[in-house]
Amino acid sequence: MAEHLFDGFDPVSSKQWKQQIQYELKGANYNDTLVWESPEGIKVKPFYHNDDLDVKFATKENTTPFEILQNIYVHDVALSNKRALESLKRGAESIRFTIQNENVAITDLMQNLPVKNTRYFFYLPFLSIDFVKNSNAYALKNNIDCIIQIDSIGQLVKDGNWFGNLNKDFEELNNIAENTSLPFLTINAGTYQNAGANMVQQLAYTLAHVNEYFNRIPKINHPITIEIAVGTNYFFEIAKIRAMRLLFNTLAKAYNHTFDCHIVVTPTKRNKTLYDYNVNMLRTTTECISAVLGGADSITNLPYDALYHKDNEFGDRISRNQLLILKHESYFDKVSNPADGSYYIESLTEQLAEKSLLLFKDIEANSGFITQLIEGKIQKKIGESAAKEQELFDSGKEILLGTNKYHNKNDRMKHDLELFPFVKQNPRKTLITPIIEKRLAEKLEQERLSQEV
């Protein structure tokens, strides 16, 4: 019979722990001294105990280890095919092609790529029934595990306009739903995080985003992909991913949707920096660990130089190797749902889920997500959260090492910029005000660049 390690000790209740802590504080107030509040209004205690937990939340029933996903933007089909082959040889386990237009020949793009134990994503920044049908036929004929990624609402959120218009987009999406066997719906939730939404907003807006699809597309007979961006608030990000799965499955049951979501996680851009860019590797490492512990199905890392360099082999290799080390040298592929049973994480998961569900219900009671986007209410709320976080960064209360603290005055970046690393101003006519992704360090970096000789 197995021996329990702590059976020889008397149990200590939550009340006893708190009494002892209060004694050690020597008169200082427990709540004022040790309890802090997150931007989401969650009070974080100094310790957690099983007395405090009534419910235990699981991450996912399917405990298959996460897949290492490699992003490839298709500018040249032959080069993209070659890069996919190289990435798979070097440790990638799935490939996501971002296909710029419907003229790309899938047969050429997929030439000689392995089929067994490899999943392929086709991310489409356009809406084409014919392209999806052709991709579906090719995948079925060649027995390819393939996921199409289309997000009309995400297009509206980020661009300010639909692909066509609301009615036309959903007419085409319903046509796709009836004529393809491939999963095709994606929720680009990373936009909310990268624009500065707090975690409750991210979860609630993602859930409302999903709900619009459930309402407007009756026949969703495939898993839905949810793209999540994670920051460096380590335990909160673990809980956020777990809460997202819980909320999705709760909503899906109401529509008799029996598929679990497929969660793809990538590190946020919001806290990444142009100067002292190697620190980005430390940030993405902790963010990827949060993704693993939170139960992500696929993880695609962000190269340390993604802000200012075009796609390059070295940046891709380093970012991929970070995931390979986590999976095969840190043994994250050997443990199922490792965050289960952590009182702190379980408590955060419960609180994030509850607060997000309340906000979601409020959105639905006030005409729904798309209407609130058109009215500008969602943009306003995200803008308010982003401004609060920006103020913390500008005042030095939120620290990005190497940027607003301990920065190297001798760093020079002006001549290394292959990409424009700031928000681009492109005035044009849009249906709604788009939700703009913006990094915390942009203003400070622009000032430093202007002072370089």
Side-chain angles (χ1 to χ4, degrees):
M1 186 175 177
E3 222 178 282
H4 294 285
L5 185 61
F6 296 108
D7 281 352
F9 297 90
D10 293 331
V12 181
S13 69
S14 176
K15 183 179 179 181
Q16 288 173 297
W17 275 113
K18 189 171 180 180
Q19 287 174 339
Q20 182 63 34
I21 292 171
Q22 188 67 66
Y23 172 77
E24 298 291 343
L25 287 173
K26 302 184 186 305
N29 185 278
Y30 175 88
N31 288 325
D32 293 343
T33 306
L34 298 179
V35 177
W36 59 274
E37 187 170 315
S38 77
E40 295 78 16
I42 293 174
K43 294 185 183 298
V44 180
K45 300 184 295 184
F47 76 98
Y48 287 81
H49 194 281
N50 61 2
D51 290 352
D52 304 324
L53 289 176
D54 297 323
V55 182
K56 179 178 179 298
F57 296 103
T59 48
K60 56 178 180 176
E61 294 180 7
N62 179 9
T63 55
T64 305
F66 71 94
E67 294 177 351
I68 299 173
L69 174 61
Q70 179 69 55
N71 284 324
I72 297 177
Y73 289 85
V74 181
H75 300 295
D76 180 294
V77 171
L79 288 177
S80 297
N81 173 268
K82 181 181 178 182
R83 188 176 164 203
L85 282 167
E86 286 296 317
S87 297
L88 291 168
K89 288 177 183 177
R90 291 174 178 263
E93 296 163 328
S94 53
I95 299 291
R96 173 162 57 190
F97 292 113
T98 295
I99 300 172
Q100 298 297 324
N101 60 72
E102 57 187 296
N103 297 321
V104 170
I106 294 298
T107 51
D108 295 337
L109 185 63
M110 295 293 295
Q111 187 176 8
N112 299 323
L113 291 178
V115 172
K116 190 176 181 181
N117 299 323
T118 306
R119 179 179 282 121
Y120 295 92
F121 295 77
F122 295 157
Y123 180 82
L124 309 184
F126 58 88
L127 186 54
S128 169
I129 296 172
D130 290 338
F131 187 90
V132 174
K133 286 182 178 178
N134 291 337
S135 300
N136 183 67
Y138 182 86
L140 291 176
K141 180 180 178 181
N142 295 279
N143 197 29
I144 296 173
D145 185 355
C146 183
I147 294 176
I148 303 289
Q149 292 191 270
I150 302 172
D151 186 6
S152 284
I153 299 174
Q155 167 72 10
L156 175 69
V157 165
K158 197 166 183 175
D159 183 74
N161 290 313
W162 299 96
F163 291 118
N165 57 57
L166 188 152
N167 292 330
K168 183 179 179 183
D169 277 22
F170 278 99
E171 182 182 341
E172 295 192 18
L173 288 171
N174 274 287
N175 195 335
I176 290 171
E178 293 174 358
N179 290 282
T180 180
S181 60
L182 296 179
F184 69 94
L185 275 179
T186 285
I187 312 300
N188 287 319
T191 302
Y192 309 127
Q193 202 281 346
N194 282 308
N198 65 43
M199 290 190 194
V200 167
Q201 290 173 331
Q202 293 170 44
L203 290 168
Y205 297 160
T206 303
L207 198 64
H209 192 147
V210 175
N211 194 53
E212 291 287 354
Y213 284 128
F214 277 137
N215 271 321
R216 297 170 187 271
I217 307 174
K219 296 181 180 179
I220 304 178
N221 298 318
H222 320 94
I224 293 175
T225 302
I226 299 179
E227 299 259 356
I228 296 176
V230 294
T232 47
N233 194 346
Y234 187 69
F235 292 105
F236 271 72
E237 293 292 357
I238 295 170
K240 182 180 81 176
I241 299 169
R242 291 159 56 87
M244 185 71 259
R245 193 179 297 278
L246 173 69
L247 290 166
F248 174 86
N249 287 329
T250 301
L251 179 65
K253 286 179 183 177
Y255 290 93
N256 297 315
H257 181 80
T258 57
F259 299 94
D260 194 1
C261 55
H262 184 98
I263 294 181
V264 178
V265 178
T266 187
T268 181
K269 293 179 182 177
R270 187 157 172 79
N271 63 4
K272 302 305 179 288
T273 56
L274 182 61
Y275 289 91
D276 208 353
Y277 48 76
N278 287 318
V279 179
N280 290 334
M281 280 190 278
L282 303 180
R283 297 179 183 121
T284 56
T285 298
T286 66
E287 289 160 358
C288 286
I289 296 173
S290 291
V292 176
L293 298 180
D297 297 293
S298 302
I299 303 175
T300 175
N301 198 6
L302 187 71
Y304 73 97
D305 59 349
L307 297 180
Y308 65 94
H309 270 171
K310 296 177 182 178
D311 289 346
N312 62 90
E313 194 276 334
F314 183 77
D316 284 346
R317 181 162 59 88
I318 294 297
S319 64
R320 193 168 51 243
N321 284 351
Q322 287 174 260
L323 292 172
L324 287 168
I325 289 170
L326 291 181
K327 186 165 188 176
H328 299 298
E329 296 186 30
S330 302
Y331 304 106
F332 278 117
D333 62 331
K334 304 298 183 187
V335 183
S336 298
N337 297 342
D340 280 3
S342 164
Y343 303 148
Y344 181 33
I345 295 174
E346 299 284 8
S347 176
L348 291 179
T349 301
E350 179 181 4
Q351 291 181 77
L352 284 172
E354 287 178 350
K355 287 178 177 291
S356 302
L357 192 57
L358 286 174
L359 179 54
F360 165 73
K361 289 179 178 178
D362 181 71
I363 293 169
E364 293 307 306
N366 289 278
S367 304
F369 188 62
I370 291 176
T371 298
Q372 290 208 5
L373 280 171
I374 293 171
E375 294 174 350
K377 293 179 180 178
I378 301 296
Q379 297 90 321
K380 181 182 177 182
K381 292 296 184 182
I382 292 178
E384 290 170 354
S385 294
K388 290 177 183 177
E389 188 181 19
Q390 189 69 54
E391 185 179 348
L392 290 173
F393 173 80
D394 293 343
S395 66
K397 293 179 182 177
E398 181 163 338
I399 296 169
L400 294 181
L401 289 176
T403 299
N404 67 339
K405 192 165 187 178
Y406 305 126
H407 64 274
N408 182 354
K409 295 180 180 179
N410 296 320
D411 273 357
R412 297 289 182 269
M413 290 300 300
K414 183 181 290 187
H415 301 296
D416 291 328
L417 303 184
E418 297 177 354
L419 300 171
F420 186 70
F422 309 114
V423 171
K424 295 179 181 178
Q425 302 296 328
N426 182 25
R428 57 196 169 83
K429 187 176 180 180
T430 58
L431 177 65
I432 69 166
T433 301
I435 294 175
I436 305 297
E437 299 181 0
K438 185 178 181 181
R439 295 182 298 108
L440 288 168
E442 288 198 15
K443 181 181 177 182
L444 185 58
E445 290 171 350
Q446 286 174 313
E447 291 174 356
R448 290 180 65 176
L449 282 172
S450 68
Q451 295 168 6
E452 286 189 20
V453 179

